[in-house]
Amino acid sequence: MVFDLDLIKKLYAAMPSHIAEARKLTGKPLTLAEKILYSHLFERAKRAYERGKDYVDFAPDRVAMQDATAQMALLQFMTCGRSQVAVPSTVHCDHLIQAKTGANEDLKTALDVNKEVYDFLASISNKYGIGFWKPGAGIIHQVVLENYAFPGGMMIGTDSHTPNAGGLGMVAIGVGGADAVDVMAGLAWELKMPKLIGVKLTGKLSGWTSAKDVILRVAGILTVKGGTGAIVEYFGEGADSLSATGKGTICNMGAEIGATCSVFGYDKKMADYLIATGRAEVASLADGIREHLRPDAEVYADPARYYDQLIEINLDELEPHVNGPFTPDLAWPISKFAEAVKANNWPEKLEVALIGSCTNSSYEDISRSASLAKQAIDKKLKTKAEFTITPGSEVVRYTIEKDGFLKTFDQIGGIVLANACGPCIGQWARHIDDPNRKNSIITSFNRNFAKRNDGYASTHAFVASPELVTAFAIAGNLTFNPLKDKLTNTEGKEVMLDEPTGVELPPKGFSVDDPGYQGPAADGTGVQVIVKSDSQRLQLLEAFTPWEGTDLKGLKLLIKAKGKCTTDHISMAGPWLKFRGHLDNISNNMLIGAINFFNDKTDSVKNELTGEYGPVPATQRAYKAAGIGSVVVGDENYGEGSSREHAAMEPRHLGVRAIVVRSFARIHETNLKKQGMLALTFANKEDYDKIQEDDSFDITGLTSFVPGKSLTLVANHKDGSKDSITLNHTYNEQQIEWFKAGGALNVIRKQFAGN
């Protein structure tokens, strides 16, 4: 079936006039991103919007939620007063399946362990008109690409890798659950008009190089925060030569550079993919307005005039890359990787190689990896590392089984995991003799922060293309370079791996018995959503308390976080995923991964009430019980990584009043604002150094809190001295109302209560 066909027809019919109007307003030719953004304004524009400055109200076409974040999003939505979602929305059960022994057993276990949550998500989806993708159907981003993504569309999703849909020319943006509630409730969705980074691709990929290497190279150029506040737009003949799923891989990992999203212009490769996935009607409609689904000709001719930053990459010259460890922007061309491994004393022996995930689980990816597995069989090579395969969807899994790829992987000892996120998000019961032993793994996933995949700080995780990961699995050593090094087979002969080969789309077409979709009831009025009062997995929400109307005085320092503090540090995934629907229980993981500046330890902070050191959540609960607010101080790009709003809701729930940092990652800053938190930055970044462990704080200027006007943090030191520190913010008038009301949801409730 083709989803949203009427919606797409209506959008495409209006796009030409919207784009013409936008050209008049801006007085210039338009990039693709601008065409899509101006075609999705909540209300007609009266002027051009300034990139990186103006807040703009948008009307996305749809919302997608994965099971871990959907719980909190829908718990919020069910309190807002609507009987049905206002835009097409879906829930995808992909995060709660733990990889342990193999697909079948792991899925059975998940269905049993998570029954309460799955039943809740199925029933609430049924009630409010939301499409439900059952456990085992696949990873949200692959399922969206196969069913919902379309050129020129706009989507938000409660997962940071939502931009994967940019592979089909869609502006798809990761958000927190409160943003999803806005759109599902039919309200405007607010975003600061993004800046634009253009990436011109010339040449064509060949040999060992793949689409994955494009984004690994871009990550090395821009770093984990270089794309913050920007849409990355890829164009050029090199872009048109990439498969749609290859484009999706690049857009998916744009989250690792902090980009708002990434997007490619509509081309034949996208049309081919739409047709192959049963959406020939959508391809035909897109062909009819093709010129509006690509940048204007003038942009192609002189891109430096139209983008805020321009990067050029020649695919003919691009090397395969390996990124890591511990950060996805530490980029190594394969020709220099072995040297880096030795120079940095990273463990050379490879213990596990993992391919698949939402980033790299397409038919093309699997076929190229399978070509290497077939070579290993033919050349009498055996894998020397544990090797796992994670299909992105049941459609992909069924098709690669039908076409014999799974049998090939099985012959070299590969283990097929469930169609779910699994090890990519820490849902991996890894078998290791000593968790404290330094070890190396390599994946075709997107993130490799410490503890991200298996929970072990000692694990050095690297990221590469599926074909390179497969080659490393065969070699079992990270100093191996498949482009030039030989391997010794079981007969003692030296052999080389040939370049991988593959096909973009299955020659016999995609097949599936049951894709795993469950449509909602036509009328959900009588559907009951049951949450047990004693549940440890689900908890109905209570409204947060509005601001008391005064400056904040006598706040304690909860933690001064040192260095990288991602949403994984603030609210870990892995075993904590089971509490994503229970705010109080999951708050027991708040900031337990952050490094305390004053003792270089995790989950160990000073309780100013007792003078003793203890866990971060317990310390904050003690402050809350005593009626004392607190402040969290952080470093650069605080909250990078996942879109999980729990990282904002937990501090709010436990009584933290302000997060003060050198800089924020975009999604986390927005999530904090949505929950009525103060998200503030040091006007002078060196003032971070003035914060002392025993400080108490006053935040002044709140009684005249307005856009563009700084606030003041008074740090009262133990010796009686004090520092007055200027704090900047990016709040607009609407966001200040969220703060005053105690959160955006309180504002929404009031709006619907008055209707």
Side-chain angles (χ1 to χ4, degrees):
M1 66 184 293
V2 180
F3 293 95
D4 307 332
L5 193 58
D6 289 341
L7 181 156
I8 296 168
K9 287 178 180 177
K10 184 178 178 182
L11 175 69
Y12 282 4
M15 272 189 93
S17 62
H18 286 317
I19 290 168
E21 193 171 310
R23 284 199 196 96
K24 283 184 183 177
L25 288 172
T26 60
K28 66 177 185 62
L30 299 177
T31 66
L32 171 62
E34 289 173 312
K35 291 181 179 183
I36 298 174
L37 293 171
Y38 276 97
S39 296
H40 285 85
L41 297 175
F42 194 76
E43 295 178 344
R44 287 182 63 177
K46 295 183 176 66
R47 62 179 178 85
Y49 295 111
E50 187 176 343
R51 298 177 196 164
K53 183 177 179 181
D54 289 333
Y55 282 95
V56 184
D57 286 342
F58 291 103
D61 299 310
R62 66 175 307 110
V63 174
M65 298 164 280
Q66 40 93 337
D67 51 355
T69 52
Q71 295 171 64
M72 197 57 70
L74 293 176
L75 284 166
Q76 292 176 86
F77 178 77
M78 68 187 292
T79 70
C80 80
R82 278 201 68 112
S83 60
Q84 196 169 39
V85 292
V87 302
S89 303
T90 51
V91 167
H92 304 259
C93 295
D94 62 357
H95 272 54
L96 299 177
I97 302 169
Q98 186 182 44
K100 190 171 184 179
T101 57
N104 293 335
E105 287 304 313
D106 292 346
L107 181 56
K108 285 179 186 175
T109 300
L111 289 168
D112 179 46
V113 171
N114 302 311
K115 185 179 187 305
E116 180 183 3
V117 173
Y118 293 146
D119 287 349
F120 164 73
L121 291 173
S123 64
I124 198 169
S125 296
N126 200 27
K127 183 175 182 65
Y128 291 109
I130 298 167
F132 182 72
W133 290 84
K134 296 178 284 188
I139 307 173
I140 177 172
H141 313 302
Q142 180 65 28
V143 173
V144 164
L145 202 67
E146 292 169 358
N147 295 278
Y148 300 113
F150 65 92
M154 185 180 198
M155 177 180 81
I156 62 168
T158 60
D159 190 282
S160 58
H161 293 104
T162 298
N164 190 83
L168 276 180
M170 195 172 205
V171 164
I173 301 173
V175 299
D179 279 1
V181 171
D182 282 352
V183 177
M184 289 190 293
L187 303 176
W189 174 63
E190 182 186 74
L191 177 73
K192 186 180 285 186
M193 196 67 169
K195 293 184 177 181
L196 298 176
I197 298 174
V199 180
K200 182 179 181 180
L201 301 179
T202 59
K204 192 173 183 179
L205 296 173
S206 63
W208 283 91
T209 311
S210 74
K212 180 78 161 198
D213 299 303
V214 176
I215 186 57
L216 295 180
R217 173 73 181 118
V218 170
I221 294 169
L222 289 176
T223 77
V224 290
K225 63 176 184 175
T228 302
I231 290 179
V232 181
E233 186 170 312
Y234 292 84
F235 64 96
E237 71 271 17
D240 291 343
S241 72
L242 300 172
S243 67
T245 50
K247 292 176 172 75
T249 291
I250 292 168
C251 294
N252 180 298
M253 265 197 76
E256 274 49 76
I257 56 173
T260 301
C261 69
S262 303
V263 68
F264 283 81
Y266 178 66
D267 58 20
K268 186 178 182 303
K269 298 288 189 179
M270 292 186 192
D272 291 344
Y273 186 77
L274 286 167
I275 293 167
T277 51
R279 292 173 287 169
E281 292 163 286
V282 178
S284 178
L285 289 169
D287 287 337
I289 62 161
R290 187 177 188 276
E291 66 182 284
H292 301 297
L293 301 175
R294 292 172 67 85
D296 284 338
E298 295 89 338
V299 175
Y300 275 108
D302 189 7
R305 286 185 59 190
Y306 301 99
Y307 296 101
D308 298 291
Q309 183 178 351
L310 181 64
I311 295 169
E312 295 191 32
I313 296 175
N314 185 342
L315 302 183
D316 291 333
E317 300 171 356
L318 182 65
E319 277 192 67
H321 276 60
V322 180
N323 285 26
F326 305 128
T327 185
D329 60 350
L330 187 58
W332 303 99
I334 191 65
S335 60
K336 297 180 180 177
F337 182 56
E339 180 185 333
V341 171
K342 292 175 182 175
N344 291 283
N345 198 30
W346 297 326
E348 295 182 22
K349 180 185 176 184
L350 180 66
E351 305 208 2
V352 193
L354 309 97
I355 66 167
S357 84
C358 70
T359 321
N360 276 108
S361 57
S362 68
Y363 188 89
E364 180 182 26
D365 291 328
I366 299 298
S367 69
R368 283 172 65 84
S369 293
S371 76
L372 292 169
K374 182 68 166 60
Q375 283 188 55
I377 296 166
D378 295 342
K379 297 184 179 186
K380 296 180 171 53
L381 292 165
K382 290 190 174 181
T383 52
K384 294 184 178 177
E386 186 179 334
F387 184 45
T388 72
I389 303 96
T390 302
S393 70
E394 178 58 14
V395 169
V396 169
R397 189 211 63 78
Y398 190 96
T399 305
I400 62 176
E401 181 178 40
K402 177 193 70 174
D403 291 355
F405 296 150
L406 292 188
K407 183 178 180 181
T408 302
F409 289 133
D410 183 63
Q411 286 179 278
I412 65 166
I415 299 170
V416 179
L417 302 177
N419 312 323
C421 299
C424 185
I425 59 163
Q427 282 284 60
W428 182 21
R430 185 180 172 193
H431 313 290
I432 187 170
D433 55 351
D434 179 5
N436 298 312
R437 174 174 55 77
K438 284 176 63 176
N439 70 96
S440 290
I441 67 171
I442 191 165
T443 80
S444 70
F445 306 162
N446 40 48
R447 291 199 177 125
N448 58 342
F449 304 135
K451 300 184 181 181
R452 166 78 179 183
N453 301 126
D454 60 8
Y456 303 136
S458 55
T459 295
H460 294 57
F462 299 87
V463 179
S465 66
E467 47 268 56
L468 212 57
V469 171
T470 305
F472 278 119
I474 296 166
N477 193 295
L478 289 179
T479 61
F480 173 67
N481 180 349
L483 281 70
K484 67 180 186 65
D485 294 341
K486 294 181 178 179
L487 294 168
T488 303
N489 68 12
T490 55
E491 296 177 346
K493 295 178 182 177
E494 287 193 335
V495 295
M496 277 192 74
L497 293 172
D498 300 321
E499 293 175 349
T501 58
V503 290
E504 294 178 14
L505 297 166
K508 299 176 185 176
F510 285 108
S511 305
V512 69
D513 275 346
D514 176 12
Y517 176 71
Q518 178 178 301
D523 180 3
T525 309
V527 177
Q528 294 295 313
V529 179
I530 301 171
V531 177
K532 294 184 294 185
S533 59
D534 62 347
S535 173
Q536 294 302 300
R537 298 289 301 270
L538 298 161
Q539 179 187 47
L540 296 177
L541 295 175
E542 295 181 8
F544 288 134
T545 307
W547 172 56
E548 55 268 66
T550 63
D551 288 338
L552 304 180
K553 301 291 180 73
L555 306 176
K556 300 297 183 185
L557 176 68
L558 177 59
I559 187 172
K560 180 178 177 178
K562 179 181 178 181
K564 188 184 283 287
C565 191
T566 72
T567 48
D568 278 287
H569 295 88
I570 304 167
S571 176
M572 287 185 177
W576 291 94
L577 282 171
K578 62 178 174 284
F579 296 127
R580 283 283 180 88
H582 197 295
L583 182 55
D584 195 58
N585 281 348
I586 199 169
S587 292
N588 288 322
N589 80 357
M590 185 187 72
L591 284 158
I592 63 176
I595 298 172
N596 183 357
F597 179 91
F598 298 106
N599 59 11
D600 280 332
K601 294 180 179 179
T602 58
D603 203 23
S604 175
V605 295
K606 189 174 182 180
N607 183 332
E608 291 297 327
L609 301 177
T610 65
E612 298 176 352
Y613 285 84
V616 183
T619 302
Q620 182 55 38
R621 287 186 187 275
Y623 291 154
K624 182 179 181 180
I628 298 170
S630 66
V631 174
V632 170
V633 174
D635 214 320
E636 295 280 9
N637 208 31
Y638 183 88
E640 72 172 272
S642 169
S643 67
R644 67 193 63 153
E645 67 182 335
H646 299 76
M649 295 186 79
E650 292 171 32
R652 180 72 168 97
H653 172 64
L654 293 184
V656 176
R657 300 304 300 271
I659 312 292
V660 181
V661 301
R662 282 176 162 153
S663 66
F664 282 107
R666 176 192 64 85
I667 298 177
H668 188 61
E669 181 181 20
T670 301
N671 285 346
L672 289 167
K673 291 177 179 179
K674 285 279 185 174
Q675 300 305 331
M677 291 282 288
L678 287 171
L680 309 169
T681 57
F682 293 106
N684 178 2
K685 292 186 178 185
E686 283 66 40
D687 284 343
Y688 169 91
D689 298 322
K690 294 179 179 177
I691 305 301
Q692 299 175 22
E693 188 171 34
D694 297 307
D695 285 349
S696 65
F697 304 103
D698 304 327
I699 297 177
T700 62
L702 290 173
T703 54
S704 56
F705 192 11
V706 292
K709 184 180 178 182
S710 299
L711 301 174
T712 300
L713 178 76
V714 180
N716 301 292
H717 304 309
K718 192 175 183 180
D719 63 4
S721 64
K722 62 178 62 178
D723 280 300
S724 288
I725 297 169
T726 302
L727 301 179
N728 291 337
H729 67 84
T730 60
Y731 287 75
N732 60 23
E733 290 179 1
Q734 175 65 64
Q735 293 166 348
I736 290 172
E737 287 306 308
W738 296 343
F739 166 71
K740 290 179 177 178
L745 194 56
N746 289 351
V747 175
I748 294 174
R749 287 193 193 100
K750 191 174 180 180
Q751 282 179 282
F752 281 111
N755 290 343

